[in-house]
Amino acid sequence: MSAPLGRRVAAEAIGTGLLVAVVVGSGIQATELSHDVGVQLLADSLATVFGLGVLITLLRPVSGAHFNPVVTLAAWFTGRHTPGGVTLRDVAAYVPARIAGAVGGAILADAMFAEPLVTFSTHDRSAGHLWLGEVVATAGLILLVFGLHRIDRASPAPAAVAAYIGAAYWFTSSTSFANPAVTIGRAFTDTFAGIAPGSVGPFIAAQLSGAGLGLVVVTAVYGPPHCCGPPHGRDPAQRTRSETRSRTRRPLISPRERHPP
């Protein structure tokens, strides 16, 4: 990214904070409006889809709008030998900024709904099937983000990522946290979207495992990064050769030279 590191860090902290505020705030609002858990989850997931899509669209030109440490770690790991890629300095700056933003977002949501500003969640999420859900949710997110990059389809990323997270709310048992920073932030609110502090560590471990699995799937589908072609499987060298042949077929003499007086 061309923006200075300070601006990128600010964008990631603010974006993560607003994302958590959307998740937690919509959860509080949903529980106040309905006692039906299905309706509550629907309201929470819809708000997250719309909010995440807007935040990615708004902040991606500044920082890439990952808002997610596992995505950044995966980007560093796959591009660590590529000039201009994510560096360890970026990782070291982004991760704490996102965690701070996530905690701030949870506190902000609580404040907006007159809830205690900091109350650790009592919502226990310690179960094997929930951890499996997090592995699947995170692996799918990594496949989506890096798959779009491999096929050179970055423009639909805001809508695609938001749609995936909205779907994963429903098809995974964990309701798709898929983000260590957001997971930590949600531990600071004892509301619908909260997670007990004792459940945070296993969730993050599952997310890291899911990120690794996602990269394996990306490689299995698209091949190693150095051999990945552009959209529709066209090889850049083939495209260049084709364009070169096309140019060489064009006449290189002027009309006057072709038809001398």
Side-chain angles (χ1 to χ4, degrees):
M1 295 296 167
S2 58
L5 180 60
R7 285 172 51 196
R8 286 184 276 135
V9 168
E12 288 295 301
I14 292 169
T16 308
L18 291 175
L19 174 59
V20 173
V22 168
V23 173
V24 174
S26 60
I28 297 172
Q29 183 79 286
T31 56
E32 292 183 353
L33 295 176
S34 174
H35 297 293
D36 187 317
V37 177
V39 173
Q40 294 169 1
L41 185 60
L42 178 62
D44 201 11
S45 62
L46 285 176
T48 302
V49 167
F50 296 140
L52 181 58
V54 169
L55 289 171
I56 295 175
T57 301
L58 180 64
L59 297 175
R60 187 172 63 158
V62 179
S63 66
H66 292 170
F67 311 142
N68 192 330
V70 294
V71 174
T72 301
L73 284 170
W76 166 77
F77 182 79
T78 57
R80 61 191 185 281
H81 301 305
T82 303
V86 175
T87 66
L88 279 177
R89 178 171 176 252
D90 295 331
V91 175
Y94 287 162
V95 172
R98 289 170 181 149
I99 293 173
V103 173
I107 295 172
L108 175 61
D110 284 339
M112 287 192 292
F113 288 92
E115 298 284 340
L117 294 186
V118 178
T119 303
F120 289 112
S121 177
T122 57
H123 191 167
D124 182 69
R125 299 178 188 263
S126 298
H129 68 282
L130 299 180
W131 303 333
L132 177 60
E134 277 300 281
V135 171
V136 172
T138 310
L141 178 63
I142 294 295
L143 173 60
L144 172 61
V145 171
F146 287 82
L148 287 173
H149 176 71
R150 291 291 193 91
I151 62 174
D152 196 23
R153 288 289 188 271
S155 57
V161 171
Y164 172 77
I165 293 298
Y169 258 83
W170 292 90
F171 77 76
T172 64
S173 56
S174 63
T175 65
S176 183
F177 285 51
N179 185 326
V182 169
T183 303
I184 294 172
R186 290 169 67 166
F188 284 77
T189 177
D190 193 18
T191 58
F192 178 78
I195 177 173
S199 301
V200 169
F203 256 57
I204 292 177
Q207 291 156 4
L208 292 172
S209 299
L213 176 61
L215 289 178
V216 170
V217 175
V218 170
T219 301
V221 173
Y222 299 104
H226 66 274
C227 67
C228 178
H232 312 302
R234 293 181 61 199
D235 184 283
Q238 293 176 344
R239 182 173 56 186
T240 302
R241 287 194 296 269
S242 175
E243 292 170 353
T244 302
R245 285 196 300 268
S246 177
R247 287 195 296 267
T248 57
R249 293 193 192 103
R250 296 170 186 165
L252 300 180
I253 58 176
S254 67
R256 181 177 180 84
E257 289 173 322
R258 287 202 306 268
H259 305 287

